Amino acid sequence: MKFFFRRLKKKKIYNTLLIILIYRLGSFITIPFINTIYKNEVLLKKNPSYKGLINMLTSLTGGACNRASIFALGITPYISASIFTQLMCYIFPFFYKIQQDGEIGKKKLNTITSIVTIIISLIQAPLYILILIENNLKDKPYYLNFISIYGKNLFLMTSIICLTTGTFFTMWLGKQINKKGIGNGNSLIIISGILSRFINSMICEILNRIKYNYFSGSLILLFEFFIWGLIIGFSIIIINFVKKIYIHYINDFSFKEKNIEELSLKDDIQYIPLKVVYSGVTPIIFSQGILFIIILLLNNINIKSVVIDKIKNIYGLWYNLLYSILIIIITYFYTFFSIPVNKISDDLKLNGVYIPSIKPGKETYIYLKKILLQISFLGSILLAIIAILPSIFISLGGDKNFSLFFGGTSLIILVGVLLEIKKTVNSNLLNYNKF
């Protein structure tokens, strides 16, 4: 039995590696009719605000976005659709009822998520192609002859079909990892893209520091890697950190003189765990999406303003200030929508559970809401700090490629997903030891 189980686990690992390899190979296949000789230059010219935003998207797609690949959108439309559907379940009773229908409800929500994914892909794909044409293709005939011969509209239509299909194929690969691999399919797809740029980014940062002075550059690198290690440790702590609200279970009732009720408690005191960063990377992704749309609109408005120019600079003070405010606001909303404090307090009361020194019912609800407010504020501040670290790193002379690993979305996703994989591996090992 152990031999069979060992073979089964090896097969899952091989399947996972094969699927990731297919995804990585697909990220090098460009959209039809683009000259592959110049594909590495795509989206890296002209508009600096576009360049910064595309670099952020590229970090989530392993360079596919930068190469104008058929996987340029990656799995990000599906992630956005999943977050949107999840929020709808908390806001609207209709979606909440579907969520409570077990497997049938889960299938319905998956269908709704797929429909929303199509809508988001059909919005993002033309925006991506229009930026591509505007920045690189409209005045460069060597990129492709297709636009000049057949027109932009036909190229736009075929590209949108390719990008949307690429997103759904990426989703399918993630599901295959869940079925035939080690699990966490979508997460593994994302980090495979992020990690594919790690070695190149590390080399760029080393060369950037030692190109002028080897000795001083080496000292800066050592200090930099030390700080980077602290940031990774800090990220692990805030992702795992929970606020424990201890609760007591009522076991039986005994009455003494004057009918005074005494509560006998179980020996094992349990607690309600509330994660400080319950929202995970969601506020960062949402904030980036909102700012991406804002900058797209500002680039299409011919208004000359110093403030607008500062907002367009994604490494500048004004952009990062707005970025931090959005993260804090979205973290608050997401946490309060996701954690039903009222339902928790009602369930505690119905099951004979209470928080020490807090009366069941309304007082428990007020207490939990207060605690949630405090930890949401702390979590949002910590997320905002991590999100703006890449900009701080660049302002101190760091390489832009390596800055994606010094904080922000890439670092949070990497740490979060690797912790999930660790839990999955530990779970598999426990199951293995049973046989």
Side-chain angles (χ1 to χ4, degrees):
M1 183 64 79
K2 283 188 176 182
F3 175 75
F4 172 77
F5 195 80
R6 192 183 296 115
R7 287 288 300 274
L8 182 64
K9 290 304 172 186
K10 282 184 178 179
K11 186 178 179 182
K12 285 188 174 184
I13 293 171
Y14 294 148
N15 287 339
T16 302
L17 293 174
L18 178 62
I19 292 167
I20 290 174
L21 179 62
I22 292 170
Y23 171 71
R24 291 303 306 145
L25 290 174
S27 67
F28 288 90
I29 301 173
T30 53
I31 297 168
F33 313 114
I34 291 182
N35 191 333
T36 55
I37 296 173
Y38 300 99
K39 66 182 179 182
N40 290 327
E41 298 178 17
V42 172
L43 295 173
L44 288 178
K45 305 286 184 179
K46 285 193 175 180
N47 199 316
S49 60
Y50 282 149
K51 179 179 177 180
L53 288 166
I54 294 301
N55 278 338
M56 282 194 296
L57 294 175
T58 298
S59 68
L60 297 177
T61 58
C65 181
N66 192 45
R67 290 188 289 267
S69 165
I70 56 174
F71 291 165
L73 299 182
I75 206 167
T76 51
Y78 175 72
I79 294 170
S80 301
S82 300
I83 295 169
F84 176 80
T85 307
Q86 188 179 0
L87 288 174
M88 291 302 101
C89 291
Y90 296 123
I91 298 171
F92 297 106
F94 172 76
F95 289 97
Y96 180 75
K97 287 178 182 178
I98 294 175
Q99 190 183 38
Q100 301 302 311
D101 286 341
E103 284 299 320
I104 297 172
K106 189 177 179 181
K107 288 179 181 178
K108 288 180 180 179
L109 284 178
N110 287 337
T111 304
I112 293 169
T113 303
S114 297
I115 294 169
V116 176
T117 302
I118 293 173
I119 295 169
I120 293 174
S121 297
L122 292 175
I123 293 171
Q124 290 185 351
L127 288 174
Y128 174 82
I129 297 301
L130 288 173
I131 293 173
L132 178 67
I133 294 171
E134 178 187 344
N135 281 345
N136 298 279
L137 305 181
K138 66 180 181 180
D139 58 351
K140 294 182 180 180
Y142 56 78
Y143 268 113
L144 69 162
N145 297 321
F146 190 78
I147 290 180
S148 58
I149 297 172
Y150 297 103
K152 183 173 74 173
N153 292 333
L154 188 55
F155 170 71
L156 188 63
M157 185 175 65
T158 55
S159 299
I160 289 170
I161 293 170
C162 286
L163 291 172
T164 306
T165 306
T167 295
F168 272 84
F169 183 70
T170 307
M171 286 169 53
W172 181 80
L173 290 176
K175 289 177 182 177
Q176 295 310 302
I177 293 176
N178 293 334
K179 289 179 182 178
K180 301 177 181 179
I182 63 174
N184 297 313
N186 294 334
S187 300
L188 283 172
I189 290 288
I190 292 173
I191 67 166
S192 68
I194 295 172
L195 289 175
S196 68
R197 295 168 59 83
F198 177 72
I199 295 176
N200 180 59
S201 301
M202 182 75 75
I203 293 170
C204 288
E205 176 61 17
I206 292 171
L207 294 175
N208 176 56
R209 292 300 186 185
I210 65 173
K211 64 182 178 181
Y212 296 116
N213 190 310
Y214 181 83
F215 179 73
S216 61
S218 299
L219 291 177
I220 292 171
L221 272 174
L222 288 173
F223 179 73
E224 193 175 279
F225 290 147
F226 173 73
I227 298 296
W228 185 44
L230 292 179
I231 292 170
I232 292 172
F234 176 70
S235 301
I236 293 171
I237 290 170
I238 68 167
I239 287 173
N240 286 330
F241 186 69
V242 294
K243 169 69 176 177
K244 296 179 181 179
I245 301 176
Y246 288 94
I247 53 177
H248 287 177
Y249 284 81
I250 301 171
N251 196 20
D252 58 32
F253 298 93
S254 60
F255 294 89
K256 291 191 176 181
E257 294 180 1
K258 298 182 183 179
N259 294 326
I260 297 174
E261 186 179 332
E262 288 190 353
L263 305 178
S264 175
L265 305 177
K266 289 184 178 180
D267 293 334
D268 54 329
I269 299 174
Q270 299 185 22
Y271 58 87
I272 303 171
L274 293 177
K275 294 190 79 171
V276 173
V277 186
Y278 182 83
S279 56
V281 76
T282 302
I284 297 178
I285 294 174
F286 256 43
S287 301
Q288 285 179 343
I290 292 169
L291 290 171
F292 182 74
I293 293 169
I294 290 172
I295 290 177
L296 278 176
L297 293 173
L298 291 176
N299 281 330
N300 291 306
I301 297 173
N302 295 322
I303 298 176
K304 299 268 181 160
S305 171
V306 177
V307 176
I308 290 176
D309 290 337
K310 287 181 178 179
I311 291 174
K312 287 181 183 180
N313 179 17
I314 69 165
Y315 303 117
L317 174 64
W318 287 96
Y319 175 90
N320 283 283
L321 182 62
L322 185 59
Y323 188 24
S324 302
I325 293 169
L326 280 173
I327 289 171
I328 292 169
I329 293 171
I330 293 170
T331 302
Y332 265 101
F333 275 98
Y334 186 89
T335 305
F336 275 98
F337 278 132
S338 302
I339 303 177
V341 179
N342 195 21
K343 187 175 182 299
I344 292 172
S345 62
D346 290 341
D347 288 343
L348 291 175
K349 187 176 180 181
L350 289 171
N351 290 286
V353 182
Y354 76 99
I355 300 170
S357 305
I358 306 294
K359 291 182 180 179
K362 188 177 180 181
E363 285 195 17
T364 300
Y365 167 74
I366 294 171
Y367 176 77
L368 288 174
K369 193 173 181 180
K370 180 183 176 183
I371 294 295
L372 195 61
L373 188 69
Q374 292 172 350
I375 65 174
S376 297
F377 176 74
L378 177 62
S380 62
I381 295 295
L382 294 174
L383 269 184
I385 291 170
I386 291 177
I388 63 174
L389 280 176
S391 298
I392 296 173
F393 178 72
I394 289 171
S395 66
L396 296 174
D399 184 75
K400 289 185 179 181
N401 292 315
F402 188 69
S403 69
L404 297 171
F405 296 93
F406 213 79
T409 315
S410 298
L411 184 65
I412 289 289
I413 289 175
L414 273 176
V415 171
V417 171
L418 290 175
L419 289 173
E420 282 181 19
I421 293 171
K422 180 176 175 287
K423 289 178 183 177
T424 304
V425 171
N426 289 338
S427 177
N428 289 333
L429 288 174
L430 286 173
N431 291 330
Y432 172 75
N433 290 329
K434 290 178 182 178
F435 291 93

